[in-house]
Amino acid sequence: MLSLLEVRNLGVVEAASLELPGGLVALTGETGAGKTLIVGAIGLLLGERARSDLVGASDERARVRAIVDVDGHEAVVEREVTREGRSRARIDGELVAVGELASFVARAVQVVGQHQAVFVTQPDQQRAILDRIGGIDDRAWHRARERLADATAALRRARDDHDHAERERERLGFELAELESAELANPEEDNELTELVDRLGDADALRAELFSLHRDLVGTNSITDRLGQSARAVQRAFPALAERLESLLAEATDVAEEVRDQFERLESDPAALEAAQARLAQLSHLKRRYGPTLEAVIEAREERRRALALIEGSEALMEELEAERLEAERHLEQAASALRAERDAAAEVLRRHVTEALGALGLERARFEIRLEGAEGVPAFWFAASPDLEPTPLGRGASGGELSRIVLAMAELLGEGRESIVLDEIDTGLGGRAALGVAARLQRLATRRQVIVVTHTASIAAAATTHFVVHKELVDDRTRTRVEPVRDDARVREIARLLSGHPDADVALEHARALLQSASSESGPSAPADGGVML
């Protein structure tokens, strides 16, 4: 609900403050007096573009301030526009983005005019209107649709993986055969083989060295022969030297025995060396192809085993995923069927109500249809202004005034709510019985929510429980707009002006009093029209 609206320096509205009660509030005034600016002020709070030409002459900025009730909590909302076109928005004094302000205020206020009524032509809005009127919750259908989308995506991924794996089957089989033939088990085998090859490769060279050394020590003309001969030769002349030579001879003989023992223990195995070298070459090839280490080669073998197993098992997986997709599809069909049934019922209620309401709103020959499309019954509103015309989609088949009356007809079915609805000159082209029908509809709607209507029609203004008049006057060579509440004789004169253009004509005054009396008897006692102040 909108309980207060303050406007400062907005166009010709220098300063106005309107305290707005519940019920039906009428805003009237001569053409060009500034009624549209009052509605425009609310539009600024709802995020409409801030134009610099909106700023009046009395200050460098325009300001709109309001108190709105959102979900049972009152909040002060405000929007300022500077002459340079900059804009600021606040909620309870805190700066917010204009979009955030608009979303917040839209929970409390809705403006419907001949231009704004176009929202009812939008597919998303038509679906929302029908579902709200029918109390329809489409979340189960959305969940079912998401479930089917997920199942379809999972099956598609599995098929892609399977197709890719099938293309890789031959290569994977060849590589796995090569890897399995190596019978790898020990990731350190290459290091151990390197040590064995080094050891076996050195054996022949060591045996040759030991053989040559043994021959030099004890063979013909060997070191031990020369030491023995020299010891005997110097025995008498140099006994001490001979003794030392004999010691060397004993040591050399002992060394020769050790050399022979080592030679005999050191075995040469050319076959083992050749086998170790061949195995090491095989492992080096595998490491070059599949990984820098034997551990990586072993992992490559396991990966290929898993990939081939996936190919073998992918058929079963795809069958399982296809079964899940079919189940999700059946679930979606059931949810769509249930949703369509609910929308069928709601569409019939809405069609009958709007058709009956349009007859009372001056469109008794009009045809309104709701066509449901798709399995879930997406609604599309169609309209024809007369029976000789074929219905067309609402956006093409209805004028602005007709759209406004269709919105008014639907608004009664939208149930209780805290929203205020602002109707901007939806009575264009109405008169007589049709205007009385609109007035009655507005009174009925105002029992459920606050309705603010900008009108030129006397019967609609007379139906209001609160009535404001917008006056334009010239003060000090400057045009000013005043907004003031009217009641009693002042209200009678305003109704008379709307009827005839002459607020003091006796016939018009009598007719005005009759309208007010009739409207009062239909709606109950009128609320006092003291909710606004001109500043």
Side-chain angles (χ1 to χ4, degrees):
M1 178 172 166
L2 180 64
S3 58
L4 174 70
L5 178 67
E6 291 183 348
V7 182
R8 296 288 184 274
N9 198 40
L10 185 67
V12 294
V13 182
E14 187 171 299
S17 178
L18 288 77
E19 291 186 12
L20 302 166
L24 179 59
V25 179
L27 193 66
T28 63
E30 293 184 0
T31 300
K35 300 185 302 297
T36 300
L37 282 174
I38 300 299
V39 177
I42 300 173
L44 284 174
L45 296 175
L46 288 166
E48 289 186 5
R49 187 170 68 88
R51 306 192 318 270
S52 59
D53 61 357
L54 292 174
V55 181
S58 63
D59 197 355
E60 292 301 309
R61 67 187 61 207
R63 188 183 74 171
V64 179
R65 180 174 172 268
I67 297 177
V68 295
D69 186 321
V70 176
D71 299 330
H73 301 284
E74 284 195 338
V76 178
V77 294
E78 184 177 349
R79 181 135 181 233
E80 289 183 354
V81 181
T82 67
R83 200 172 297 282
E84 292 77 21
R86 292 192 297 271
S87 177
R88 288 180 180 172
R90 293 180 178 86
I91 299 176
D92 285 334
E94 181 179 349
L95 283 171
V96 296
V98 172
E100 183 179 348
L101 174 71
S103 298
F104 184 80
V105 175
R107 292 159 62 186
V109 182
Q110 179 183 13
V111 174
V112 178
Q114 291 197 30
H115 300 292
Q116 294 91 345
V118 74
F119 81 91
V120 80
T121 68
Q122 299 167 2
D124 287 347
Q125 289 294 331
Q126 292 178 0
R127 183 169 60 250
I129 289 169
L130 184 64
D131 286 355
R132 182 172 176 184
I133 287 172
I136 298 169
D137 185 350
D138 63 356
R139 286 178 294 181
W141 177 81
H142 281 290
R143 287 194 297 268
R145 187 176 64 168
E146 290 172 3
R147 177 184 171 187
L148 177 59
D150 292 343
T152 302
L155 180 59
R156 185 183 303 113
R157 288 193 299 270
R159 284 174 174 166
D160 291 343
D161 291 344
H162 174 75
D163 292 344
H164 175 74
E166 277 292 335
R167 292 191 295 271
E168 294 289 295
R169 183 195 288 270
E170 184 176 351
R171 178 184 65 81
L172 292 171
F174 172 80
E175 291 179 350
L176 182 60
E178 181 180 41
L179 289 163
E180 287 187 332
S181 67
E183 297 182 347
L184 294 171
N186 180 9
E188 296 298 325
E189 183 182 358
D190 53 344
N191 296 328
E192 295 174 1
L193 281 173
T194 299
E195 293 177 4
L196 177 60
V197 166
D198 290 344
R199 196 164 61 249
L200 291 175
D202 290 344
D204 287 339
L206 286 173
R207 283 174 61 84
E209 180 62 30
L210 292 175
F211 180 82
S212 176
L213 178 58
H214 187 269
R215 185 187 56 194
D216 290 342
L217 286 171
V218 295
T220 303
N221 296 322
S222 65
I223 292 174
T224 55
D225 286 347
R226 184 76 179 93
L227 287 172
Q229 292 172 4
S230 297
R232 289 191 297 273
V234 300
Q235 178 66 42
R236 282 185 291 183
F238 305 106
L241 179 58
E243 185 177 353
R244 293 181 65 187
L245 290 171
E246 288 174 356
S247 295
L248 286 175
L249 174 60
E251 180 66 19
T253 301
D254 187 59
V255 169
E257 290 296 324
E258 175 69 19
V259 169
R260 187 188 66 183
D261 290 343
Q262 292 295 341
F263 177 81
E264 290 175 351
R265 284 198 296 268
L266 185 61
E267 297 180 358
S268 177
D269 192 348
L273 175 59
E274 184 179 353
Q277 288 173 332
R279 176 65 170 176
L280 194 58
Q282 181 188 23
L283 299 183
S284 297
H285 165 73
L286 293 176
K287 289 192 293 184
R288 284 194 302 273
R289 185 165 185 180
Y290 300 108
T293 65
L294 281 188
E295 184 177 6
V297 175
I298 293 172
E299 177 58 28
R301 180 188 64 193
E302 298 308 310
E303 286 178 357
R304 281 148 183 81
R305 285 176 177 170
R306 289 192 293 268
L308 286 170
L310 178 63
I311 294 174
E312 299 300 328
S314 60
E315 291 292 343
L317 174 62
M318 285 191 294
E319 289 179 4
E320 180 182 339
L321 291 175
E322 175 63 13
E324 291 180 6
R325 190 196 67 79
L326 289 173
E327 176 60 25
E329 190 172 65
R330 284 192 293 270
H331 187 69
L332 177 60
E333 289 173 356
Q334 293 171 356
S337 178
L339 181 58
R340 176 155 190 144
E342 289 187 278
R343 284 177 172 164
D344 268 327
E348 180 58 21
V349 171
L350 179 58
R351 185 197 65 76
R352 283 191 284 105
H353 179 86
V354 171
T355 299
E356 184 271 331
L358 290 179
L361 297 174
L363 296 173
E364 59 276 352
R365 294 171 56 80
R367 294 165 60 192
F368 176 76
E369 297 179 3
I370 301 175
R371 301 182 183 182
L372 301 182
E373 302 169 355
E376 71 276 16
V378 177
F381 295 170
W382 289 59
F383 179 80
S386 61
D388 58 314
L389 297 176
E390 283 297 318
T392 57
L394 190 59
R396 299 203 304 265
S399 67
E402 289 164 344
L403 283 177
S404 298
R405 278 171 258 178
I406 290 170
V407 171
L408 177 58
M410 291 179 180
E412 290 185 86
L413 287 182
L414 294 178
E416 298 283 345
R418 298 185 183 278
E419 305 93 352
S420 298
I421 184 167
V422 180
L423 302 171
D424 184 15
E425 297 188 351
I426 66 166
D427 53 347
T428 300
L430 284 180
R433 187 171 62 85
L436 290 172
V438 171
R441 293 279 167 176
L442 290 174
Q443 282 184 317
R444 188 185 309 172
L445 181 59
T447 63
R448 300 186 183 126
R449 69 206 317 186
Q450 182 188 54
V451 179
I452 302 170
V453 57
V454 177
T455 183
H456 291 282
T457 304
S459 54
I460 294 176
T465 53
T466 304
H467 188 169
F468 292 93
V469 177
V470 181
H471 298 282
K472 184 169 67 174
E473 56 190 11
L474 192 64
V475 179
D476 297 330
D477 296 327
R478 191 171 72 188
T479 300
R480 290 186 58 192
T481 289
R482 293 186 297 112
V483 183
E484 61 181 9
V486 292
R487 57 183 175 180
D488 301 333
D489 290 343
R491 190 177 186 197
V492 172
R493 287 169 55 82
E494 175 62 11
I495 300 296
R497 185 193 66 78
L498 292 171
L499 285 167
S500 66
H502 301 286
D504 297 318
D506 291 339
V507 173
L509 290 171
E510 183 179 352
H511 190 184
R513 292 187 185 96
L515 272 179
L516 288 167
Q517 181 62 39
S518 174
S520 176
S521 63
E522 290 183 11
S523 63
S526 296
D530 57 357
V533 180
M534 188 284 293
L535 299 178

